Amino acid sequence: MRTAGIDIGSITAKAAIVENGKILNTKVIFTGYNAEAAGLKVYEEVLKENSLSKSSVRKIVSTGYGRNSVKFADKSFTEIMCHAAGAHHLNAHIRSIIDIGGQDSKAIVLDDQGKVKNFVMNDKCAAGTGRFLEVMARALEVNLDEFGAISIKSKNPSKISSLCTVFAESEVISLIAKGEKRQDIIAGIHESIAARVSSMSARLGITEPIMVTGGVARNIGVVRALEKKLGMKIEVSSYAQVTGAIGAAFLAASL
Amino acid sequence: MKKSISDFLKMVLIFLAGKFKKFTMRFKKSKTMKDYMMVYYSDAKSARLTGRKVAWITSGGPVEPLIAMNVIPIYPENHGAMIGASKMGGSLCEKAEAMGYSADLCSYARSDISCATINGGPIGGLPKPDMLVCCNNICGTVLKWYEVQARYFNVPLFILDTPFCHTEYTNEAAKYVRAQFDEYIVFLEKVCKKKFDFERLKEVGHLSHQGQLLWQAVLDTATNKPSPMSAFDAFYHLALIVTLRGTQDVIDYYTQLVAYMKNRIARGIGAVPNEKYRLLWDNIPIWHRTRWLSEKFAAHNACLVADTYTTAWCGALKYIDENRFLDSAAEAHARIYLNIGIDEMAKMVLEMIDKYDVDGFVLHSNRSCKPYSFGQLDIQRIVEKERGIPCLMLEADMTDERSFSESQISTRIDAFMEIIKERKNK
Ligand code: SF4
């Protein structure tokens, strides 16, 4: 049986196709201003890459902030449920998930069946989310994709103490003016995100093995900073960014 | 003067008709909530013509001595709820911020303070006070808030200080609070320029006690499955026990309301048509979103059957003794939900979880109300440990609609309901 999952986030739209328990293909595009159109587009593209027709897909589940605008989906679930299902299929041992997305971050604790036991979300503030990194990348004139690689060269991360993204940005600008090394500033930014996310996760009581999902998981600097802060080992799957879509596709198979 | 009163009444009417259409249409009786509130506010607005005095009082303050002295109590917090329900909180708070008040100040205080200067809000401002009565059993914010208003209106202020009762009500505390009730009475005699009527206080104390018992009886009907009422109904019907406690009106209204709820029980009618999941609510309602939240939960077949907030108006019943009214009132006011230790609060929450047999606990972490929100994480942990039910924390503000993000709250509720459904259908 072939099923699909569509995850419409605030920054990117993701699609995944699974067939008989295996991931066939995944796709990521920018969401843009029209979530509905993005859902359709990412779905059509993922099918096209594998020369599949829409009629060959049995069920579709949507998730993410735009989940209700995916009109062609059979059902929608929240990202919490889908990240849990996705992580469980990628690695059945995972007991906790930290998902750092574009506009929020969450921690999820799973039971031994891979079902959601509890979750917390930070969605009040951009600090601790992908948006924070975007703002900082602009201030530093560095491509966000290079953030991870640059920051692990740092031996002496800068201190960023503001809790607010806007204040943190001016702090970063004054650090630049002071002539601090770019790698140190970026490492400091990562530590500040890690501090936010880890206190939220600790509040929930996360346990190992932990997987980080969401677009920010591709940033090795954030992952390392999180490991340091939590004092725990973290797994990152190569599917990190599309974990929600994969989970949605697996949930579609059990509809 | 006449014209301004009739304009004011028109505004009260329009407000009540608009905000709670759903409830007022459903609950038909000889006198509706609208009627009672109309009379209440018109009495207050015309107090100067009728020679009566108006006192502004905090929600947890002792109102019975005021009623006994024929003073009309006005509750700025009730007004705050009306401001919130009318979605006027954001703009009034902005105004207060422009006046120099911090955005971290409770939004009831912010909207009341700014509203008073422009006679704004849904009912064109509150009737002017002749005195202010402030009891700090609910929070410390009210002290400064009432001081500000006492200066603004240039009227006398009485402060009743209730020490925090972590676990017990010590002899020292009892003496301290009780003595202030005597001072309160002297204060009232001075402002009203007449002797205090202790006989009348006895009657008022009796009516107040009966009113609270009836309010408890109303809330108790929600133990039935399906529940004939939801917490959203309680948020609406609460207005009378808050504003008119100690009068016959409260007794009449809630007697009818209990009968109405019992009739619904007999006919098997639930507040949520397909009640499958029962939830407990903590903290002050998100006044600007009650309709949205009630529909959101109902869409999941979930009914918020009870809440710690409306229960507070009958929560100290066990301390009340009509025969020792003033002594027991001192204790009941000192030991309200917001003035006791976290363990005691958690105990009450656990009792409610068992009593109403709920599947989950929803906590509104209210940016405005620090005493209500500070211990929530601990209470949540205790509930998770002791009862193992899913808990959900929602971050918002009761009045200030600028602190609410619909899609994010929506996702949290959906995820919470996914967990509850999965557990219950296992
Ligand atoms: S802080 Fe809380 S208790 Fe105090 S006035 Fe505001 S809402 Fe009421």
Side-chain angles (χ1 to χ4, degrees):
Chain A
M1 179 164 63
R2 193 177 295 147
T3 55
I6 316 280
D7 176 1
I8 312 288
S10 61
I11 299 175
T12 53
K14 285 87 51 176
I17 305 285
V18 306
E19 188 170 85
N20 302 327
K22 277 216 195 62
I23 301 161
L24 271 192
N25 193 16
T26 63
K27 182 88 196 161
V28 182
I29 64 169
F30 283 106
T31 306
Y33 67 92
N34 186 337
E36 188 174 350
L40 191 61
K41 184 162 173 233
V42 74
Y43 181 49
E44 281 170 350
E45 285 188 13
V46 79
L47 287 175
K48 201 161 113 209
E49 283 181 4
N50 286 42
S51 312
L52 298 173
S53 68
K54 284 184 186 169
S55 58
S56 72
V57 176
R58 184 73 87 59
K59 293 274 183 203
I60 305 166
V61 159
S62 63
T63 186
Y65 277 112
R67 64 188 176 283
N68 294 324
S69 46
V70 183
K71 300 284 182 272
F72 55 91
D74 295 285
K75 200 167 173 171
S76 72
F77 289 105
T78 63
E79 307 85 283
I80 319 279
M81 190 84 157
C82 292
H83 275 271
H88 184 69
H89 277 95
L90 293 170
N91 178 351
H93 300 294
I94 294 299
R95 286 295 163 270
S96 305
I97 301 167
I98 295 174
D99 167 37
I100 310 178
Q103 68 173 8
D104 67 19
S105 48
K106 358 181 159 42
I108 308 167
V109 175
L110 307 181
D111 66 15
D112 45 17
Q113 308 291 311
K115 300 264 184 272
V116 178
K117 230 161 85 180
N118 211 343
F119 70 95
V120 281
M121 281 169 89
N122 151 42
D123 51 24
K124 279 286 145 213
C125 174
T129 72
R131 203 61 90 184
F132 183 73
L133 288 173
E134 276 187 3
V135 169
M136 297 308 162
R138 245 198 335 261
L140 284 158
E141 293 178 338
V142 173
N143 187 334
L144 188 50
D145 290 333
E146 296 162 26
F147 253 46
I150 298 176
S151 73
I152 49 174
K153 286 191 229 137
S154 163
K155 297 219 166 48
N156 189 17
S158 312
K159 269 256 151 325
I160 315 250
S161 46
S162 296
L163 289 176
C164 160
T165 304
V166 178
F167 291 165
E169 186 182 6
S170 46
E171 228 183 311
V172 163
I173 290 168
S174 64
L175 289 174
I176 298 171
K178 262 201 258 160
E180 289 219 11
K181 283 197 206 129
R182 195 170 265 187
Q183 64 214 47
D184 291 342
I185 299 177
I186 297 176
I189 291 167
H190 290 161
E191 289 199 342
S192 126
I193 288 204
R196 277 249 154 170
V197 174
S198 66
S199 58
M200 171 184 76
S201 310
R203 185 173 126 178
L204 185 69
I206 58 166
T207 52
E208 289 177 296
I210 304 167
M211 182 181 263
V212 175
T213 63
V216 177
R218 291 176 308 161
N219 180 333
I220 183 72
V222 171
V223 175
R224 290 285 169 272
L226 257 177
E227 285 185 323
K228 197 166 116 193
K229 199 89 208 161
L230 286 168
M232 296 182 189
K233 186 102 196 68
I234 288 175
E235 287 188 31
V236 183
S237 143
S238 54
Y239 286 116
Q241 196 180 9
V242 288
T243 308
I246 290 171
F250 277 110
L251 287 171
S254 56
L255 283 185
Chain B
M1 185 78 188
K2 267 242 163 69
K3 182 160 182 310
S4 79
I5 293 173
S6 74
D7 283 351
F8 172 79
L9 289 184
K10 221 185 286 158
M11 282 198 267
V12 173
L13 245 179
I14 292 168
F15 169 79
L16 289 166
K19 287 309 136 200
F20 290 104
K21 213 181 263 155
K22 185 180 135 216
F23 305 113
T24 42
M25 284 196 306
R26 228 176 41 188
F27 181 48
K28 283 221 160 51
K29 42 186 41 65
S30 47
K31 245 172 142 185
T32 63
M33 171 70 83
K34 211 165 72 188
D35 300 330
Y36 284 115
M37 296 310 276
M38 276 276 298
V39 172
Y40 165 62
Y41 275 113
S42 64
D43 276 357
K45 204 76 176 185
S46 55
R48 290 229 159 39
L49 296 179
T50 54
R52 291 179 71 188
K53 295 221 178 295
V54 170
W56 284 15
I57 181 168
T58 55
S59 64
V63 68
E64 293 82 359
L66 291 176
I67 308 249
M69 288 295 260
N70 200 26
V71 173
I72 303 174
I74 285 285
Y75 293 83
E77 289 155 82
N78 175 252
H79 184 222
M82 288 162 82
I83 288 171
S86 323
K87 301 193 176 33
M88 292 175 151
S91 55
L92 285 171
C93 286
E94 258 170 30
K95 165 128 188 60
E97 287 154 27
M99 289 165 72
Y101 292 94
S102 159
D104 290 320
L105 180 66
C106 161
S107 55
Y108 278 172
R110 266 179 296 155
S111 35
D112 181 62
I113 289 170
S114 67
C115 197
T117 65
I118 51 169
N119 284 335
I123 56 169
L126 285 176
K128 301 265 170 300
D130 297 294
M131 70 193 99
L132 302 175
V133 178
C134 170
C135 179
N136 64 355
N137 57 353
I138 48 173
C139 67
T141 302
V142 289
L143 290 176
K144 288 293 152 194
W145 170 7
Y146 275 59
E147 278 175 13
V148 166
Q149 295 299 51
R151 271 201 302 274
Y152 182 74
F153 290 108
N154 193 22
V155 292
L157 163 66
F158 182 78
I159 292 172
L160 182 79
D161 177 32
T162 48
F164 201 77
C165 302
H166 289 274
T167 49
E168 52 168 359
Y169 186 59
T170 59
N171 278 336
E172 291 74 14
K175 265 193 220 139
Y176 177 64
V177 180
R178 178 63 184 80
Q180 292 177 75
F181 270 74
D182 290 337
E183 291 167 18
Y184 183 25
I185 283 166
V186 172
F187 169 84
L188 289 178
E189 287 182 330
K190 223 161 105 193
V191 180
C192 299
K193 299 194 185 71
K194 62 178 182 192
K195 273 256 151 275
F196 192 79
D197 184 345
F198 285 92
E199 273 314 302
R200 177 80 184 110
L201 180 66
K202 238 189 192 156
E203 287 164 30
V204 174
H206 172 70
L207 290 173
S208 166
H209 186 207
Q210 295 307 309
Q212 293 176 61
L213 287 170
L214 275 166
W215 178 241
Q216 178 77 69
V218 170
L219 298 180
D220 282 352
T221 62
T223 54
N224 191 71
K225 291 180 187 172
S227 172
M229 64 180 286
S230 73
F232 297 102
D233 297 302
F235 297 158
Y236 171 66
H237 294 298
L238 174 76
L240 277 199
I241 191 77
V242 176
T243 53
L244 292 171
R245 187 162 78 243
T247 68
Q248 183 63 35
D249 287 347
V250 172
I251 314 269
D252 297 344
Y253 185 79
Y254 290 136
T255 305
Q256 290 184 66
L257 187 56
V258 172
Y260 174 78
M261 291 303 170
K262 288 199 169 148
N263 179 277
R264 282 170 73 88
I265 292 177
R267 292 187 294 151
I269 304 174
V272 169
N274 283 307
E275 179 193 299
K276 280 210 190 99
Y277 312 102
R278 298 164 63 83
L279 306 171
L280 177 67
W281 174 271
D282 184 50
N283 213 311
I284 301 174
I286 305 171
W287 291 114
H288 46 99
R289 283 299 176 139
T290 47
R291 169 84 47 98
W292 183 84
L293 279 167
S294 116
E295 284 166 4
K296 177 86 199 160
F297 281 107
H300 285 289
N301 297 324
C303 183
L304 296 178
V305 293
D307 70 282
T308 56
Y309 172 67
T310 59
T311 302
W313 275 270
C314 49
L317 261 176
K318 57 182 172 225
Y319 305 116
I320 298 178
D321 176 354
E322 284 183 30
N323 298 320
R324 300 168 37 249
F325 185 74
L326 283 178
D327 301 298
S328 70
E331 177 163 12
H333 281 87
R335 302 184 85 166
I336 66 160
Y337 188 71
L338 291 186
N339 207 39
I340 54 176
I342 297 291
D343 291 321
E344 298 290 302
M345 288 167 98
K347 224 189 273 166
M348 288 174 76
V349 168
L350 291 175
E351 277 167 24
M352 290 185 76
I353 287 172
D354 297 340
K355 173 173 175 182
Y356 293 98
D357 194 18
V358 297
D359 307 298
F361 185 31
V362 183
L363 303 95
H364 166 206
S365 170
N366 183 353
R367 190 173 158 71
S368 265
C369 191
K370 283 79 180 173
Y372 217 146
S373 309
F374 261 151
Q376 277 179 316
L377 200 54
D378 291 303
I379 295 177
Q380 175 178 342
R381 282 199 183 122
I382 294 172
V383 166
E384 280 168 350
K385 186 162 158 266
E386 298 291 327
R387 293 296 180 275
I389 57 171
C391 297
L392 170 70
M393 181 103 50
L394 299 177
E395 277 130 22
D397 187 283
M398 61 205 177
T399 315
D400 189 346
E401 67 272 13
R402 295 171 300 172
S403 301
F404 188 90
S405 162
E406 181 174 306
S407 73
Q408 294 167 346
I409 297 265
S410 182
T411 297
R412 287 190 194 197
I413 293 175
D414 289 344
F416 172 68
M417 289 311 303
E418 281 168 356
I419 298 176
I420 292 209
K421 286 174 194 173
E422 214 165 70
R423 292 239 188 126
K424 192 141 185 187
N425 301 330
K426 228 184 214 165

